[in-house]
Amino acid sequence: MKRRWRWFVGLLLVACISEYAFARKPEATSQNWPSYFAPDDENAGFDDAEPPPDAVLDTLLTRPEVAETADELQNKDRGSLRKLFQTVRVNLGKADEDDYVVLGTFPMSGGDCNWFWVVRTRQGKGETILFAPGLSLLLQKRLTNGYRDIKQSGGTAAFRSERLYRYNGIAYRLLRERTWAVKP
């Protein structure tokens, strides 16, 4: 009797392992999502950029950094406002939402840096979960609270900086910052 039981358990184990090994992977993992965004580096990450969907545009237009340029936006229609942003869909880790990295174009940028936003949409509503001015963004493989960590790089001719952001359950928060002088 013990021999039959062992044989049955062994057969069941082989069936489970083969089912796992040959199971079709979810679509989200087979998608080739960009993870590095650097407009000054041959427009890296923004090759297939599109204007933002309505939910993303609506949330961007409520941001304080966008409101500071209100004078320049006053006479623009919605189509013209949409052209101020380049949007790329990404996967931050949650399957039930659409995530985007957004790049602002003049006047939605700094004098010496780019303006990046990370926006998620759920059920037709957008929410900005990170604003990070800098030269580049890198979506890292490491997850915190189900979302990918994000490294932002920036700098000038005199210094360089890196900031690491982690998701705290509501939005991305700065975990650590490192700045160093550039040697001539």
Side-chain angles (χ1 to χ4, degrees):
M1 185 72 167
K2 284 186 176 182
R3 190 175 207 172
R4 282 188 192 170
W5 182 248
R6 286 182 187 163
W7 186 82
F8 175 73
V9 170
L11 185 61
L12 186 60
L13 184 61
V14 168
C16 289
I17 291 172
S18 64
E19 178 67 26
Y20 176 77
F22 296 108
R24 187 165 183 237
K25 304 295 186 244
E27 284 298 315
T29 59
S30 64
Q31 178 73 28
N32 189 16
W33 302 100
S35 60
Y36 177 65
F37 301 91
D40 298 333
D41 185 8
E42 298 180 10
N43 212 30
F46 292 99
D47 294 333
D48 298 323
E50 297 180 354
D54 287 335
V56 174
L57 182 61
D58 291 341
T59 193
L60 291 170
L61 293 176
T62 64
R63 296 290 303 167
E65 58 277 357
V66 173
E68 289 176 9
T69 62
D71 293 342
E72 296 181 40
L73 304 180
Q74 269 184 343
N75 298 325
K76 294 190 183 280
D77 63 3
R78 194 162 175 85
S80 298
L81 293 172
R82 199 179 299 274
K83 291 178 184 177
L84 298 175
F85 304 99
Q86 296 180 35
T87 308
V88 177
R89 186 149 181 237
V90 296
N91 181 6
L92 295 176
K94 300 284 185 175
D96 65 337
E97 62 191 30
D98 295 328
D99 308 311
Y100 300 90
V101 170
V102 181
L103 172 68
T105 60
F106 182 80
M108 298 297 131
S109 61
D112 60 353
C113 65
N114 303 299
W115 286 1
F116 297 100
W117 294 268
V118 177
V119 178
R120 72 173 167 211
T121 61
R122 286 190 266 189
Q123 301 171 346
K125 294 187 178 184
E127 179 182 14
T128 302
I129 54 178
L130 176 66
F131 170 65
L135 298 178
S136 68
L137 278 186
L138 175 65
L139 306 181
Q140 298 189 312
K141 291 183 180 183
R142 185 181 194 286
L143 299 176
T144 302
N145 294 317
Y147 286 78
R148 294 172 74 170
D149 292 354
I150 298 177
K151 182 167 52 168
Q152 174 265 328
S153 299
T156 65
F159 76 93
R160 295 283 185 258
S161 68
E162 286 183 354
R163 293 183 180 111
L164 180 62
Y165 296 92
R166 289 204 174 141
Y167 189 73
N168 69 359
I170 298 170
Y172 279 92
R173 296 291 179 236
L174 180 63
L175 176 70
R176 97 177 136 251
E177 181 175 13
R178 186 174 76 115
T179 304
W180 65 95
V182 175
K183 297 180 182 179

